């Protein structure tokens, strides 16, 4: 009788062990399946976000009316206004402040840089191609990866960053904040050797008038153009 009881106990324990092993295997399979599904969902979500960023970038490139205040590490560094192919940019340097005006539809004949402080101007010295793309991710990073979403200064943004392999290779990382509404990059953080440089852009879309981008009145200014 005792031997029969021992055999029964051993047999029962064996079945229990096998059952436990099977349960563990099933749990592992279930977890692996969940992980795979989550990765697929995450991958699809990232692809969706990247597609949205591409569409927003196209929207920004096609914007025909906006102004933007530029800041570098919190300090005002200039302003750009743009309307239907004409733009004006304030340029600041140690010597003097100046303004560059250009009609990008006819750049050979319609470029002028002038200084209100020193009362001079120079015509047709720069041959440029300028467009709103300058303020999109296309002019910030050649390659980038989606890195999340964040609100900045009350604006909902997509964040994209330098790919990890490039960070490891070159030692610096750039993170750009893309306005979900306009598609313009409104903040750029560049980390290099423990130092972070921050560029900020305050956009206003649809507010520029023809008067704002009219050819400047240079009456009384000295022509310093080299002919």
């Amino acid at each position: 009788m005792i031997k029969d009881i021992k055999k029964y106990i051993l047999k029962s324990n064996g079945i229990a062990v096998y059952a436990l092993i099977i349960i563990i295997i099933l749990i592992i399979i279930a977890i692996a399946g969940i992980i795979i599904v989550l990765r697929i969902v995450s991958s699809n979500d990232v692809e969706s976000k990247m597609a949205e960023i591409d569409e927003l970038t196209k929207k920004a490139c096609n914007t025909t009316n906006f102004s933007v205040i530029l800041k570098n590490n919190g300090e005002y560094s200039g302003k750009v206004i743009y309307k239907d192919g004409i733009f004006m940019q304030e340029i600041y340097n140690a010597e003097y402040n100046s303004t560059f005006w250009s009609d990008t539809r006819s750049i050979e004949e319609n470029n002028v840089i002038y200084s209100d402080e020193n009362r001079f101007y120079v015509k047709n010295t720069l041959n440029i191609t300028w467009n709103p793309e300058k303020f999109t991710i296309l002019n910030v990073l050649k390659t980038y990866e989606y890195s999340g979403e964040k609100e900045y200064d009350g604006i909902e943004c997509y964040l994209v960053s330098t790919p990890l392999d490039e960070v490891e290779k070159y030692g610096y990382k750039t993170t750009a904040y893309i306005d979900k509404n306009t598609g313009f990059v409104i903040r750029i953080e560049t980390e290099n050797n423990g130092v972070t440089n921050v560029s900020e852009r305050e956009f206003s879309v649809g507010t520029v008038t023809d008067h704002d981008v009219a050819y400047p009145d240079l009456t009384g200014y000295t022509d310093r153009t080299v002919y």
Side-chain angles (χ1 to χ4, degrees), residues 106-123:
S106 180
I107 58 178
E108 293 82 4
E109 300 177 358
N110 292 291
N111 288 335
V112 62
I113 184 169
Y114 60 96
S115 170
D116 288 329
E117 292 179 348
N118 295 296
R119 309 291 289 182
F120 76 86
Y121 65 89
V122 179
K123 284 187 174 182

Side-chain angles (χ1 to χ4, degrees), residues 96-109:
Y96 58 84
N97 299 334
S98 59
T99 302
F100 182 60
W101 181 97
S102 178
D103 183 343
T104 62
R105 300 165 299 183
S106 180
I107 58 178
E108 293 82 4
E109 300 177 358

Side-chain angles (χ1 to χ4, degrees), residues 8-9 22 31 33 38 40 46 48 75 79 94 100 106 124-125 136 155 157 161 172-173 186 205:
Y8 176 78
I9 292 173
I22 292 173
I31 292 173
L38 289 176
I40 292 174
V46 169
S48 175
E75 296 294 328
K79 180 179 180 179
F100 182 60
S106 180
N124 304 326
T125 59
T136 71
I155 300 172
C157 301
S161 302
Y172 67 86
K173 177 181 179 181
I186 62 172
V205 177

Side-chain angles (χ1 to χ4, degrees), residues 14-166:
I15 293 173
V17 170
Y18 289 136
L20 180 60
I21 291 173
I22 292 173
I23 291 171
I24 292 173
I25 292 173
L26 291 174
I27 291 174
I28 292 173
I29 293 173
I31 292 173
I34 292 172
I35 291 174
I36 292 172
V37 170
L38 289 176
R39 285 181 176 176
I40 292 174
V41 171
S42 177
S43 177
N44 290 339
D45 185 56
V46 169
E47 290 181 6
S48 175
K49 300 296 186 184
M50 291 294 282
E52 174 66 14
I53 290 170
D54 288 342
E55 289 303 311
L56 282 170
T57 300
K58 292 177 184 177
K59 176 181 178 181
C61 288
N62 291 323
T63 302
T64 60
N65 185 312
F66 68 89
S67 64
V68 54
I69 294 173
L70 309 174
K71 293 181 180 180
N72 189 43
N73 291 325
E75 296 294 328
Y76 180 82
S77 60
K79 180 179 180 179
V80 173
I81 58 176
Y82 178 81
K83 185 177 187 296
D84 300 328
I86 301 176
F87 84 93
M88 296 178 67
Q89 180 175 3
E90 295 178 354
I91 303 170
Y92 286 78
N93 57 44
E95 296 180 2
Y96 58 84
N97 299 334
S98 59
T99 302
F100 182 60
W101 181 97
S102 178
D103 183 343
T104 62
R105 300 165 299 183
S106 180
I107 58 178
E108 293 82 4
E109 300 177 358
N110 292 291
N111 288 335
V112 62
I113 184 169
Y114 60 96
S115 170
D116 288 329
E117 292 179 348
N118 295 296
R119 309 291 289 182
F120 76 86
Y121 65 89
V122 179
K123 284 187 174 182
N124 304 326
T125 59
L126 299 175
N127 188 1
I128 64 166
T129 300
W130 194 98
N131 56 55
E133 181 181 310
K134 177 179 180 180
F135 297 107
T136 71
I137 190 61
L138 300 177
N139 198 52
V140 179
L141 290 169
K142 292 183 178 179
T143 58
Y144 53 87
E145 58 187 19
Y146 174 77
S147 55
E149 300 175 31
K150 189 174 183 179
E151 181 178 304
Y152 170 70
D153 199 25
I155 300 172
E156 293 294 331
C157 301
Y158 285 123
L159 271 62
V160 296
S161 302
T162 309
L164 182 59
D165 58 339
E166 291 188 18

